[in-house]
Amino acid sequence: MDAARFVVDALERAGVGQVVVAPGSRSAPLVYALAEAEADGRLTIHVRTDERVAGFTALGLALGAHAAVAVVTTSGTAVGNLLPAVMEANHTGTPLVVLSADRPEELRGTGANQATQQLDLFGDHVRFATDVPAGIDPGSAVSTALSAARGRLQDIPAGPVQVNLAFRDPLTPALDGSEWERLLPVVDPVAEASVVAGGEPVAERGVEAAGAVAAGPESLPSSSHRTVVVAGHGAGPEAEHFARMLGLPLLAEPSSNARFGPNAIGPYRLLLEQFGPDSRHPIERVVLFGRPTLSRQIGRLLARTELERALFLPRPVPWFEAGRRAELILTQWDQLLGFAGHGPDGWLRAWQDSAERAETALDAVLAATPAGAGGLTGPQVARALWARAQQDPGSNLMLGSSNPVRDVELAGRPTADNNVTVHANRGLAGIDGTIATATGVALATGRATRVLLGDLTFLHDAGALNIGPTEQKPRLQAIVLNDAGGGIFSVLEHGTLAQAPNYASAVERFFGTPHTVQLGALAEAYGWDHTLVRTPAELDAALAAPVQGCSIVEVSASRAGLRELHARVASALGGR
């Protein structure tokens, strides 16, 4: 218990305010020590019975709070269930602190129950991992781990860490009247002065180039180039500021949190050919903020060797290795200004005019797509949800992988201001943990949070619907596009194979993965409100309601005709 209390003290001194606990016997000392701290108002604890759900809930808490969050598990397979969340945290630079309880050294390698090799279980996915033997004060190990998690070690980006803590019996507080007594470790005041309480993770800080906000006309470049600004995941609002300052078109993914302002181009991926090498106004240069992960069109743009391309990297990021990308790497704001230049006369206007025509054409295509027996389409839902979320300033929007985030990239019309914070697990773009991540974001911020996801993504994380009666409930609305399977494969190469008689059944079984789950029954089992919508009017009504408590809006959809719909959209907007 003393060792466990030292861990909690170290967390508190470092400003960690949220911990997710997955129950178990070997981690009991940590749980009781955390319960003491919560009773004193020093920490907030969240309990989840599924370790994978716990890991992604902690990930969402860290994303929402812009702070390090810890997750506690018992020994054995419990630790392994955190791997998906740790992998995602690694690739997004999120400070997730794994506190894994373990058997003491004398029980390891003896066949003892739930004993395995837990140290280095996460391999290269953690910034720091250490094993603390039973009976040793773990305070120093926890402090070092938090420094690594927050990106305070030189040239190492923020990210997940593991502190593996061995505990011997007894694993519970004494019941002799001394159970609330605490032995505080001796604190070095000089060392403690260097600890910044609650500091935000390096990977989630705001505008890196603070001078950019105050940049005046004298600091703007004199050169002129037909440059486009691409804002990938995590780019941040500085990408919007940069594009607006230089009069350049902004091609921003939804989770860039830069998809706003007069320079933002909505359906950009279908407009790139209008500014290709054989056009009247070909693109000359590309400036990249963040990490683009969504469209093949942007991938092809960045692969064009005749273009001058620059990637802005003011700090280490976990997804980049030196020498692995072809862009010119720039670390200073003034370097980036000089590379991009300002937009020539008519450059931005040409993009804005094309975007306006494309938005009108997209409205026409979606309006001409009736809500038949199959219900609504992904782009229709994405357009409506994006507009509704923007009307709720300060709210959060979580976007599931596969089609939903791409539907928003296509149909989410940029607004004048950035009214919503967008999250998406784009580190590894998995479908796992989406509901749990959204739950964490909602709990960390205390704000209304909507999550758009497909039915398979929803079912993959159905365990996250289980929030116990003693736990804090998020303000969370899950909008589930239920097309009874995996729709994204319809618009990829598999969709062509599905039209061939000898492949149709294989594509449907192995990629369409059809199911017959009744989402309403699942919602009722977990105590979530449920609404089924089939028409645009029903969708608008469901989205208009305030987000209170936990609710599911099930959108009836069909995969039939999805490939043809995207072809009509591409044709109408001028793409392929």
Side-chain angles (χ1 to χ4, degrees):
M1 285 303 305
D2 290 341
R5 288 169 179 146
F6 292 163
V7 171
V8 175
D9 291 341
L11 293 175
E12 183 188 11
R13 288 197 306 272
V16 175
Q18 311 255 10
V19 180
V20 182
V21 169
S25 178
R26 188 58 50 171
S27 57
L30 274 175
V31 172
Y32 285 115
L34 288 166
E36 293 171 359
E38 186 175 54
D40 292 338
R42 296 155 51 203
L43 293 169
T44 299
I45 313 301
H46 308 273
V47 179
R48 297 295 185 270
T49 57
D50 182 319
E51 286 84 6
R52 188 177 70 176
V53 170
F56 278 104
T57 301
L59 178 75
L61 285 163
L63 292 171
H66 301 288
V69 171
V71 57
V72 173
T73 74
T74 191
S75 60
T77 59
V79 189
N81 277 288
L82 297 180
L83 181 58
V86 169
M87 293 173 69
E88 177 67 22
N90 171 30
H91 287 268
T92 55
T94 304
L96 181 66
V97 181
V98 174
L99 301 176
S100 52
D102 202 351
R103 262 58 179 168
E105 175 63 30
E106 62 268 19
L107 293 182
R108 300 177 189 177
T110 67
N113 187 42
Q114 286 191 354
T116 187
Q117 178 57 43
Q118 295 182 185
L119 182 64
D120 295 330
L121 179 66
F122 304 111
D124 291 338
H125 292 292
V126 290
R127 306 292 180 267
F128 173 82
T130 188
D131 188 45
V132 181
I136 300 298
D137 181 352
S140 176
V142 174
S143 297
T144 302
L146 282 164
S147 293
R150 288 170 167 154
R152 292 174 182 160
L153 303 185
Q154 187 172 0
D155 297 327
I156 298 178
V161 295
Q162 180 193 14
V163 180
N164 194 59
L165 299 156
F167 293 107
R168 290 191 183 95
D169 292 340
L171 301 175
T172 57
L175 293 178
D176 57 2
S178 64
E179 64 269 20
W180 294 98
E181 294 179 6
R182 306 185 59 195
L183 295 175
L184 294 177
V186 177
V187 175
D188 181 351
V190 176
E192 284 301 302
S194 66
V195 176
V196 181
E200 61 194 42
V202 172
E204 295 292 336
R205 288 177 183 165
V207 176
E208 290 293 327
V213 176
E218 68 282 355
S219 63
L220 297 180
S222 57
S223 59
S224 174
H225 304 289
R226 288 192 293 273
T227 302
V228 294
V229 178
V230 174
H233 176 76
E238 57 263 42
E240 189 279 332
H241 175 80
F242 182 86
R244 180 162 40 88
M245 182 172 60
L246 297 179
L248 301 174
L250 172 63
L251 319 181
E253 293 184 354
S255 61
S256 68
N257 282 293
R259 193 182 175 94
F260 67 97
N263 296 45
I265 307 299
Y268 56 83
R269 75 186 191 211
L270 297 180
L271 302 180
L272 285 168
E273 288 192 8
Q274 298 181 25
F275 300 90
D278 298 325
S279 66
R280 282 186 60 192
H281 304 288
I283 297 171
E284 294 176 338
R285 296 189 175 194
V286 181
V287 167
L288 176 58
F289 287 78
R291 178 179 170 226
T293 65
L294 293 182
S295 73
R296 295 182 178 184
Q297 292 90 333
I298 289 294
R300 288 194 291 267
L301 173 70
L302 295 173
R304 285 173 52 188
T305 56
E306 81 278 11
L307 295 179
E308 295 192 53
R309 300 147 292 165
L311 170 61
F312 185 46
L313 279 182
R315 61 180 179 272
V317 291
W319 49 267
F320 173 80
E321 295 181 22
R324 302 292 294 175
R325 293 188 66 100
E327 297 94 352
L328 173 67
I329 307 303
L330 299 178
T331 61
Q332 302 297 320
W333 189 263
D334 57 351
Q335 295 174 333
L336 200 65
L337 290 172
F339 172 86
H342 63 81
D345 292 343
W347 176 235
L348 176 60
R349 184 74 263 166
W351 277 90
Q352 291 170 328
D353 289 346
S354 290
E356 189 60 38
R357 290 191 297 270
E359 297 283 9
T360 301
L362 181 58
D363 279 334
V365 172
L366 297 182
T369 304
L376 297 165
T377 67
Q380 287 174 316
V381 176
R383 202 159 181 79
L385 175 60
W386 182 264
R388 176 63 185 92
Q390 295 291 343
Q391 297 169 14
D392 196 358
S395 64
N396 303 300
L397 178 61
M398 178 85 188
L399 299 176
S401 295
S402 194
N403 268 341
V405 66
R406 290 175 173 84
D407 287 339
V408 174
E409 182 203 29
L410 170 68
R413 190 164 191 165
T415 51
D417 300 308
N418 193 23
N419 294 322
V420 62
T421 301
V422 182
H423 296 276
N425 284 341
R426 301 306 301 170
L428 289 175
I431 66 170
D432 45 352
T434 305
I435 300 172
T437 305
T439 299
V441 168
L443 291 171
T445 61
R447 296 182 178 273
T449 301
R450 299 173 177 89
V451 52
L452 175 64
L453 67 170
D455 50 330
L456 296 185
T457 301
F458 175 82
L459 293 174
H460 200 287
D461 200 28
L465 302 176
N466 182 19
I467 302 175
T470 61
E471 298 308 300
Q472 181 183 352
K473 298 296 192 294
R475 295 171 59 195
L476 181 62
Q477 181 186 68
I479 299 95
V480 185
L481 190 74
N482 186 2
D483 56 11
I488 191 169
F489 297 106
S490 304
V491 298
L492 300 177
E493 295 85 349
H494 310 279
T496 301
L497 284 175
Q499 297 170 355
N502 54 331
Y503 278 103
S505 61
V507 171
E508 175 63 4
R509 181 187 178 194
F510 296 114
F511 296 96
T513 54
H515 68 87
T516 58
V517 178
Q518 298 300 309
L519 302 194
L522 195 61
E524 182 179 6
Y526 283 110
W528 286 52
D529 294 334
H530 174 265
T531 302
L532 176 64
V533 302
R534 297 183 177 87
T535 68
E538 291 175 346
L539 176 64
D540 290 342
L543 295 180
V547 177
Q548 299 291 345
C550 300
S551 63
I552 296 168
V553 176
E554 179 185 354
V555 181
S556 177
S558 173
R559 287 178 282 131
L562 186 59
R563 186 176 183 85
E564 291 73 19
L565 170 64
H566 279 267
R568 291 198 303 273
V569 169
S571 176
L573 273 60
R576 293 182 182 176

PDB file of all heavy atoms in Angstrom, residues 287-303:
ATOM      1  N   VAL A 287       2.409  23.043 -49.491  1.00  0.00           N
ATOM      2  CA  VAL A 287       2.855  23.139 -48.101  1.00  0.00           C
ATOM      3  C   VAL A 287       1.984  22.206 -47.278  1.00  0.00           C
ATOM      4  O   VAL A 287       0.753  22.256 -47.354  1.00  0.00           O
ATOM      5  CB  VAL A 287       2.740  24.579 -47.576  1.00  0.00           C
ATOM      6  CG1 VAL A 287       2.907  24.609 -46.062  1.00  0.00           C
ATOM      7  CG2 VAL A 287       3.778  25.474 -48.240  1.00  0.00           C
ATOM      8  N   LEU A 288       2.609  21.359 -46.490  1.00  0.00           N
ATOM      9  CA  LEU A 288       1.893  20.353 -45.724  1.00  0.00           C
ATOM     10  C   LEU A 288       2.027  20.610 -44.230  1.00  0.00           C
ATOM     11  O   LEU A 288       3.131  20.716 -43.697  1.00  0.00           O
ATOM     12  CB  LEU A 288       2.437  18.960 -46.062  1.00  0.00           C
ATOM     13  CG  LEU A 288       1.882  17.770 -45.279  1.00  0.00           C
ATOM     14  CD1 LEU A 288       0.374  17.669 -45.442  1.00  0.00           C
ATOM     15  CD2 LEU A 288       2.564  16.481 -45.723  1.00  0.00           C
ATOM     16  N   PHE A 289       0.866  20.724 -43.567  1.00  0.00           N
ATOM     17  CA  PHE A 289       0.784  20.746 -42.114  1.00  0.00           C
ATOM     18  C   PHE A 289       0.157  19.423 -41.668  1.00  0.00           C
ATOM     19  O   PHE A 289      -0.803  18.944 -42.267  1.00  0.00           O
ATOM     20  CB  PHE A 289      -0.120  21.882 -41.623  1.00  0.00           C
ATOM     21  CG  PHE A 289       0.450  23.265 -41.749  1.00  0.00           C
ATOM     22  CD1 PHE A 289       0.473  23.915 -42.969  1.00  0.00           C
ATOM     23  CD2 PHE A 289       0.921  23.940 -40.629  1.00  0.00           C
ATOM     24  CE1 PHE A 289       0.958  25.198 -43.084  1.00  0.00           C
ATOM     25  CE2 PHE A 289       1.418  25.227 -40.733  1.00  0.00           C
ATOM     26  CZ  PHE A 289       1.441  25.863 -41.968  1.00  0.00           C
ATOM     27  N   GLY A 290       0.649  18.844 -40.593  1.00  0.00           N
ATOM     28  CA  GLY A 290       0.039  17.631 -40.077  1.00  0.00           C
ATOM     29  C   GLY A 290       0.263  16.439 -40.987  1.00  0.00           C
ATOM     30  O   GLY A 290       1.123  16.440 -41.875  1.00  0.00           O
ATOM     31  N   ARG A 291      -0.546  15.419 -40.764  1.00  0.00           N
ATOM     32  CA  ARG A 291      -0.367  14.140 -41.456  1.00  0.00           C
ATOM     33  C   ARG A 291      -1.624  13.786 -42.242  1.00  0.00           C
ATOM     34  O   ARG A 291      -2.663  13.476 -41.671  1.00  0.00           O
ATOM     35  CB  ARG A 291      -0.089  13.048 -40.424  1.00  0.00           C
ATOM     36  CG  ARG A 291       0.061  11.658 -41.023  1.00  0.00           C
ATOM     37  CD  ARG A 291       0.348  10.646 -39.935  1.00  0.00           C
ATOM     38  NE  ARG A 291       0.258   9.281 -40.464  1.00  0.00           N
ATOM     39  CZ  ARG A 291      -0.385   8.304 -39.871  1.00  0.00           C
ATOM     40  NH1 ARG A 291      -1.003   8.509 -38.729  1.00  0.00           N
ATOM     41  NH2 ARG A 291      -0.417   7.094 -40.411  1.00  0.00           N
ATOM     42  N   PRO A 292      -1.572  13.837 -43.569  1.00  0.00           N
ATOM     43  CA  PRO A 292      -2.749  13.495 -44.369  1.00  0.00           C
ATOM     44  C   PRO A 292      -2.939  11.981 -44.447  1.00  0.00           C
ATOM     45  O   PRO A 292      -1.989  11.245 -44.705  1.00  0.00           O
ATOM     46  CB  PRO A 292      -2.421  14.083 -45.745  1.00  0.00           C
ATOM     47  CG  PRO A 292      -0.925  14.063 -45.812  1.00  0.00           C
ATOM     48  CD  PRO A 292      -0.434  14.263 -44.399  1.00  0.00           C
ATOM     49  N   THR A 293      -4.171  11.520 -44.231  1.00  0.00           N
ATOM     50  CA  THR A 293      -4.400  10.079 -44.193  1.00  0.00           C
ATOM     51  C   THR A 293      -5.628   9.636 -44.974  1.00  0.00           C
ATOM     52  O   THR A 293      -5.904   8.428 -45.029  1.00  0.00           O
ATOM     53  CB  THR A 293      -4.604   9.607 -42.738  1.00  0.00           C
ATOM     54  OG1 THR A 293      -5.814  10.185 -42.211  1.00  0.00           O
ATOM     55  CG2 THR A 293      -3.438   9.996 -41.856  1.00  0.00           C
ATOM     56  N   LEU A 294      -6.375  10.559 -45.578  1.00  0.00           N
ATOM     57  CA  LEU A 294      -7.707  10.194 -46.048  1.00  0.00           C
ATOM     58  C   LEU A 294      -7.826   9.868 -47.530  1.00  0.00           C
ATOM     59  O   LEU A 294      -8.439   8.871 -47.896  1.00  0.00           O
ATOM     60  CB  LEU A 294      -8.710  11.314 -45.704  1.00  0.00           C
ATOM     61  CG  LEU A 294      -8.986  11.506 -44.214  1.00  0.00           C
ATOM     62  CD1 LEU A 294     -10.017  12.601 -44.009  1.00  0.00           C
ATOM     63  CD2 LEU A 294      -9.453  10.217 -43.582  1.00  0.00           C
ATOM     64  N   SER A 295      -7.319  10.724 -48.407  1.00  0.00           N
ATOM     65  CA  SER A 295      -7.658  10.569 -49.826  1.00  0.00           C
ATOM     66  C   SER A 295      -6.447  10.185 -50.669  1.00  0.00           C
ATOM     67  O   SER A 295      -5.329  10.661 -50.453  1.00  0.00           O
ATOM     68  CB  SER A 295      -8.279  11.858 -50.374  1.00  0.00           C
ATOM     69  OG  SER A 295      -7.313  12.863 -50.519  1.00  0.00           O
ATOM     70  N   ARG A 296      -6.710   9.345 -51.647  1.00  0.00           N
ATOM     71  CA  ARG A 296      -5.664   8.960 -52.583  1.00  0.00           C
ATOM     72  C   ARG A 296      -5.282  10.130 -53.472  1.00  0.00           C
ATOM     73  O   ARG A 296      -4.147  10.199 -53.949  1.00  0.00           O
ATOM     74  CB  ARG A 296      -6.154   7.787 -53.427  1.00  0.00           C
ATOM     75  CG  ARG A 296      -6.403   6.515 -52.630  1.00  0.00           C
ATOM     76  CD  ARG A 296      -6.839   5.365 -53.499  1.00  0.00           C
ATOM     77  NE  ARG A 296      -7.023   4.138 -52.718  1.00  0.00           N
ATOM     78  CZ  ARG A 296      -7.319   2.963 -53.234  1.00  0.00           C
ATOM     79  NH1 ARG A 296      -7.473   2.840 -54.564  1.00  0.00           N
ATOM     80  NH2 ARG A 296      -7.468   1.905 -52.474  1.00  0.00           N
ATOM     81  N   GLN A 297      -6.221  11.043 -53.706  1.00  0.00           N
ATOM     82  CA  GLN A 297      -5.908  12.208 -54.548  1.00  0.00           C
ATOM     83  C   GLN A 297      -4.817  13.066 -53.910  1.00  0.00           C
ATOM     84  O   GLN A 297      -3.902  13.532 -54.605  1.00  0.00           O
ATOM     85  CB  GLN A 297      -7.171  13.046 -54.786  1.00  0.00           C
ATOM     86  CG  GLN A 297      -8.224  12.355 -55.643  1.00  0.00           C
ATOM     87  CD  GLN A 297      -9.219  11.545 -54.824  1.00  0.00           C
ATOM     88  OE1 GLN A 297      -8.906  11.077 -53.733  1.00  0.00           O
ATOM     89  NE2 GLN A 297     -10.415  11.387 -55.364  1.00  0.00           N
ATOM     90  N   ILE A 298      -4.905  13.264 -52.592  1.00  0.00           N
ATOM     91  CA  ILE A 298      -3.861  14.024 -51.910  1.00  0.00           C
ATOM     92  C   ILE A 298      -2.555  13.238 -51.922  1.00  0.00           C
ATOM     93  O   ILE A 298      -1.460  13.800 -52.086  1.00  0.00           O
ATOM     94  CB  ILE A 298      -4.289  14.358 -50.466  1.00  0.00           C
ATOM     95  CG1 ILE A 298      -5.408  15.410 -50.479  1.00  0.00           C
ATOM     96  CG2 ILE A 298      -3.107  14.865 -49.654  1.00  0.00           C
ATOM     97  CD1 ILE A 298      -4.993  16.771 -51.001  1.00  0.00           C
ATOM     98  N   GLY A 299      -2.646  11.928 -51.771  1.00  0.00           N
ATOM     99  CA  GLY A 299      -1.442  11.101 -51.850  1.00  0.00           C
ATOM    100  C   GLY A 299      -0.746  11.236 -53.192  1.00  0.00           C
ATOM    101  O   GLY A 299       0.480  11.335 -53.265  1.00  0.00           O
ATOM    102  N   ARG A 300      -1.543  11.249 -54.272  1.00  0.00           N
ATOM    103  CA  ARG A 300      -0.947  11.414 -55.607  1.00  0.00           C
ATOM    104  C   ARG A 300      -0.363  12.809 -55.776  1.00  0.00           C
ATOM    105  O   ARG A 300       0.690  12.978 -56.421  1.00  0.00           O
ATOM    106  CB  ARG A 300      -1.998  11.139 -56.678  1.00  0.00           C
ATOM    107  CG  ARG A 300      -2.370   9.665 -56.809  1.00  0.00           C
ATOM    108  CD  ARG A 300      -3.140   9.390 -58.087  1.00  0.00           C
ATOM    109  NE  ARG A 300      -4.476   9.974 -58.067  1.00  0.00           N
ATOM    110  CZ  ARG A 300      -5.565   9.332 -57.677  1.00  0.00           C
ATOM    111  NH1 ARG A 300      -5.490   8.068 -57.251  1.00  0.00           N
ATOM    112  NH2 ARG A 300      -6.750   9.921 -57.715  1.00  0.00           N
ATOM    113  N   LEU A 301      -1.021  13.825 -55.211  1.00  0.00           N
ATOM    114  CA  LEU A 301      -0.487  15.188 -55.291  1.00  0.00           C
ATOM    115  C   LEU A 301       0.886  15.261 -54.626  1.00  0.00           C
ATOM    116  O   LEU A 301       1.840  15.824 -55.192  1.00  0.00           O
ATOM    117  CB  LEU A 301      -1.456  16.159 -54.619  1.00  0.00           C
ATOM    118  CG  LEU A 301      -0.973  17.608 -54.478  1.00  0.00           C
ATOM    119  CD1 LEU A 301      -0.913  18.284 -55.845  1.00  0.00           C
ATOM    120  CD2 LEU A 301      -1.878  18.394 -53.534  1.00  0.00           C
ATOM    121  N   LEU A 302       1.004  14.687 -53.441  1.00  0.00           N
ATOM    122  CA  LEU A 302       2.271  14.749 -52.706  1.00  0.00           C
ATOM    123  C   LEU A 302       3.347  13.872 -53.338  1.00  0.00           C
ATOM    124  O   LEU A 302       4.538  14.042 -53.040  1.00  0.00           O
ATOM    125  CB  LEU A 302       2.042  14.331 -51.258  1.00  0.00           C
ATOM    126  CG  LEU A 302       1.146  15.268 -50.437  1.00  0.00           C
ATOM    127  CD1 LEU A 302       0.851  14.671 -49.070  1.00  0.00           C
ATOM    128  CD2 LEU A 302       1.798  16.640 -50.279  1.00  0.00           C
ATOM    129  N   ALA A 303       2.950  12.956 -54.208  1.00  0.00           N
ATOM    130  CA  ALA A 303       3.915  12.076 -54.870  1.00  0.00           C
ATOM    131  C   ALA A 303       4.435  12.660 -56.181  1.00  0.00           C
ATOM    132  O   ALA A 303       5.337  12.075 -56.801  1.00  0.00           O
ATOM    133  CB  ALA A 303       3.284  10.709 -55.132  1.00  0.00           C
TER     134      ALA A 303
END
